[in-house]
Amino acid sequence: MPKLKIAIVCSSNQNRSMEAHYLLSKKGFNVQSFGTGANVKLPGSAPDKPNVYEFGKTTYDEMYRELKSKDKDLYTQNGILNMLDRNRRIKSRPEKFQHCKEQFDVVITVEERVYDQVLEDFNNREQDSQTPVHVINIEIQDNHDEATLGAFLIYELCQLLENAQDLEDDLDDLLQEFEPRAERDILHSVCFY
């Protein structure tokens, strides 16, 4: 059976989606990651002063070098430099889901707002092939510990999906079994390319 093509989506393609992307790629899954936000945002020196980058323009390496030169202690202490170092070893730059023309079998989002943005994008796309895509949301808080835990939950879910005899027929049952184990609400919609 060919491997499922999986997309993991968070807001900025920095923390949650990249942690899951890292784990799944290490485990041999066919995975890509994306963000859906207007811009890529990273914490700054104050809550009202985030570091903002444009999707597709600035590389993870450029962000790493810029923040390291701005305030190495701050960005080391809050884990941003470590996160960017991991990210730059996975791919070159954050990507926006709405700009991607590739087709996936499963799109996993990590918060309801991102799930809604992905569904909105599918509703606005011209549907030409009528190929189904399953959009699944698992709520994961945007911090380093939750991103790590969330990556393992997503890995467990992807193993179930990969091993399904018939994804279309089995998915609802798989998600109902998985939800209490994950101890999180799971959202699911079917969209079409």
Side-chain angles (χ1 to χ4, degrees), residues 22-36:
Y22 174 71
L23 179 62
L24 291 176
S25 61
K26 268 185 23 182
K27 300 290 187 179
F29 284 87
N30 181 2
V31 62
Q32 290 177 257
S33 60
F34 302 91
T36 56

Side-chain angles (χ1 to χ4, degrees), residues 59-83:
T59 66
Y60 291 117
D61 190 55
E62 290 166 337
M63 292 175 205
Y64 179 90
R65 286 186 278 119
E66 178 184 309
L67 297 182
K68 186 176 178 183
S69 70
K70 264 188 186 179
D71 190 337
K72 182 180 179 185
D73 291 340
L74 171 68
Y75 295 111
T76 298
Q77 187 179 350
N78 67 11
I80 299 296
L81 290 181
N82 186 48
M83 179 184 74

